[in-house]
Amino acid sequence: MAVQQVFPLSCAVQHYAWGKMGSNSEVARLLASSDPQARISEDKPYAELWMGSHPRGDAKILDNRISQKTLGQWISENQDCLGSKVKDTFNGKLPFLFKVLSVETALSIQAHPNKELAEKLHLQAPQHYPDANHKPEMAIALTSFQGLCGFRPVEEIVTFLTKVPELRFLIGDNATAQLKGSTSSDSQVAASALQSCFSHLMKSEKNVVVEQLSLLVKRISQQAAAGNNMEDICGELLLQLHQQYPGDIGCFAIYFLNLLTLKPGEAMFLEANVPHAYLKGDCVECMACSDNTVRAGLTPKFIDVPTLCEMLSYIPSKDRLFLPTRSQEDPYLSVYDPPVPDFTVMKMEVPGSITEYKVLAVDSASILLVVQGRVTASSPTAQTPIPLQRGGVLFIGANESVSLKLTVPEDLLLFRACCLL
Ligand SMILES: [Zn+2]
């Protein structure tokens, strides 16, 4: 008999301190919905759900007819399920990790190295850079999702330098003048002026940062208490970040990086060397399998300011939304296909009036998450139909066709990660 290529997974939860608490967290809500046995602790953060075969959170197979216990074990013994190109290109491993994130407090200001830099950093400091792979990431909002992404247009930064003297103090008059003078120059001059300003900021002495930040916090608080709107200098966000990370240089980074509030279904793609930070909200995230992150603020973890300032793409741009394309073959399918080989994410929104929906067969192993709706899944190799509801996660082997029967007339919302080479 053919090897069963489709089966449900029980996925690992990571309780990092920055996660949303208890049932405020979408991670916890998905978990509670898919597994009636799950007990949600209201005093515990539910930060991430890992849907993949990463050794620190290898998904368990929820089918006791299958002898392997975890997805990682199963893939290593059934390599053809990856798809022939994926198997060869990524040495028999699933190339991506698919996640749900529920963010309560900001994650660090960070960027991920490209492959070349990742190899170099890993050689030099393997304790901080545990592997030699790049780590492109994509976040698609499930709820309103706030993050920082890429450098703002220079004009915006210049305006903040005028309106926020505490910021200008840290950057200094020379670098400030250089940036102001660069607005009409070519992009290389602007990039180097931007690098100089950002580096001055990030390399400021700790005590000076603490001092200027407390002046700014005091000024914003007083103005806000007097009824003045401080949104032109992101007053509310500054106070919020300062409360989470008092005295942290990362609080000032909001004046350099674009602030994005994604609506459900909107996405940002974090290619190599783009500075970013997730601030608040719930999203699905897909990334290449790697741990290489260079951090420079809003974190108690190891920070490496010189490497970060050196590696970043100093390309100012307002345009940071990553747009999906509508499938020609399937009217319910949107495809988020970033310019990296490691992963693609698909979103399927199927109206509840449809009784049966066919999931497109692709030449790649994939992982399917049910965010809304209730179905039974069947496939040529599955022995019995698999019931799935909100929070359910399904592994689908390469080239396997899966049919979903809607068991209630409720709209379906599904996300699927795969690797289209
Ligand atoms: Zn990141």
Side-chain angles (χ1 to χ4, degrees):
M1 206 165 73
V3 176
Q4 185 174 341
Q5 297 277 331
V6 174
F7 43 81
L9 298 172
S10 164
C11 296
V13 172
Q14 307 288 2
H15 299 278
Y16 305 136
W18 51 259
K20 289 191 182 179
M21 299 297 272
S23 46
N24 280 328
S25 161
E26 181 69 356
V27 168
R29 292 191 296 250
L30 290 168
L31 189 70
S33 165
S34 67
D35 177 7
Q37 309 283 311
R39 289 281 162 269
I40 305 302
S41 310
E42 292 302 330
D43 55 356
K44 224 172 167 185
Y46 290 74
E48 299 191 350
L49 184 72
W50 285 24
M51 300 172 282
S53 56
H54 193 288
R56 283 192 286 120
D58 196 1
K60 292 193 181 70
I61 295 174
L62 286 178
D63 186 333
N64 47 28
R65 290 167 301 193
I66 295 173
S67 60
Q68 296 85 355
K69 293 289 162 256
T70 72
L71 183 60
Q73 287 167 13
W74 190 87
I75 289 175
S76 69
E77 292 168 36
N78 294 277
Q79 301 247 305
D80 288 336
C81 76
L82 291 169
S84 55
K85 281 196 237 161
V86 175
K87 177 179 140 191
D88 293 345
T89 309
F90 296 99
N91 303 316
K93 294 209 162 68
L94 195 66
F96 56 84
L97 179 57
F98 197 27
K99 294 181 178 180
V100 177
L101 265 60
S102 289
V103 181
E104 178 62 35
T105 55
L107 276 76
S108 54
I109 309 258
Q110 55 181 249
H112 306 290
N114 59 23
K115 278 199 171 146
E116 196 189 339
L117 179 60
E119 279 164 26
K120 198 175 123 199
L121 292 172
H122 176 59
L123 261 175
Q124 287 170 348
Q127 72 278 28
H128 300 309
Y129 302 106
D131 61 75
N133 198 11
H134 68 167
K135 193 195 180 201
E137 297 171 325
M138 188 162 56
I140 306 172
L142 286 174
T143 59
S144 176
F145 187 78
Q146 199 179 39
L148 301 172
C149 178
F151 283 102
R152 292 174 181 270
V154 170
E155 296 75 15
E156 284 186 23
I157 301 170
V158 166
T159 304
F160 286 129
L161 284 166
T162 309
K163 291 184 171 174
V164 186
E166 299 84 356
L167 174 69
R168 194 171 60 236
F169 185 89
L170 295 174
I171 287 166
D173 292 338
N174 284 344
T176 300
Q178 197 192 343
L179 189 68
K180 279 184 180 163
S182 77
T183 49
S184 54
S185 319
D186 66 53
S187 58
Q188 227 162 12
V189 174
S192 100
L194 186 54
Q195 176 161 12
S196 161
C197 274
F198 190 69
S199 305
H200 269 94
L201 174 69
M202 299 310 283
K203 291 173 184 170
S204 303
E205 297 275 350
K206 177 76 184 171
N207 58 332
V208 189
V209 172
V210 171
E211 195 178 277
Q212 293 302 316
L213 195 53
S214 91
L215 287 173
L216 178 59
V217 165
K218 199 169 154 195
R219 185 162 70 87
I220 293 173
S221 310
Q222 284 172 348
Q223 293 288 327
N228 293 319
N229 185 334
M230 300 304 283
E231 277 321 284
D232 63 333
I233 58 166
C234 307
E236 203 180 325
L237 179 60
L238 193 283
L239 295 185
Q240 177 194 317
L241 291 179
H242 181 259
Q243 196 175 31
Q244 295 174 5
Y245 298 94
D248 193 300
I249 185 64
C251 298
F252 281 108
I254 61 174
Y255 299 122
F256 277 84
L257 305 180
N258 289 294
L259 175 62
L260 263 72
T261 304
L262 305 179
K263 296 196 267 297
E266 288 184 337
M268 57 176 148
F269 172 59
L270 293 326
E271 62 193 319
N273 301 328
V274 170
H276 60 278
Y278 294 160
L279 299 180
K280 196 165 186 141
D282 309 277
C283 69
V284 290
E285 192 194 42
C286 200
M287 62 180 62
C289 272
S290 159
D291 274 333
N292 287 319
T293 302
V294 183
R295 298 181 180 86
L298 303 182
T299 181
K301 292 187 185 169
F302 173 71
I303 65 170
D304 188 347
V305 172
T307 300
L308 188 89
C309 290
E310 185 63 37
M311 72 190 269
L312 292 180
S313 308
Y314 290 92
I315 303 169
S317 165
K318 191 98 201 124
D319 201 15
R320 293 291 174 177
L321 276 188
F322 187 82
L323 299 176
T325 52
R326 280 264 168 189
S327 164
Q328 301 289 320
E329 298 158 76
D330 176 346
Y332 309 122
L333 175 63
S334 304
V335 181
Y336 303 75
D337 190 17
V340 290
D342 312 74
F343 61 84
T344 295
V345 179
M346 299 177 174
K347 180 184 72 171
M348 287 146 278
E349 287 176 294
V350 183
S353 55
I354 301 285
T355 50
E356 188 167 3
Y357 175 72
K358 284 213 182 324
V359 179
L360 225 55
V362 292
D363 188 21
S364 161
S366 60
I367 292 181
L368 180 84
L369 166 71
V370 180
V371 174
Q372 189 187 305
R374 196 183 280 250
V375 295
T376 52
S378 47
S379 85
T381 61
Q383 294 167 38
T384 49
I386 302 161
L388 284 173
Q389 53 190 334
R390 172 168 153 75
V393 179
L394 196 64
F395 174 82
I396 306 174
N399 303 305
E400 187 77 358
S401 59
V402 176
S403 169
L404 304 178
K405 271 207 178 66
L406 280 71
T407 46
V408 291
E410 186 190 350
D411 294 353
L412 266 186
L413 175 60
L414 314 167
F415 287 91
R416 179 191 196 184
C418 59
C419 175
L420 302 178
L421 292 174

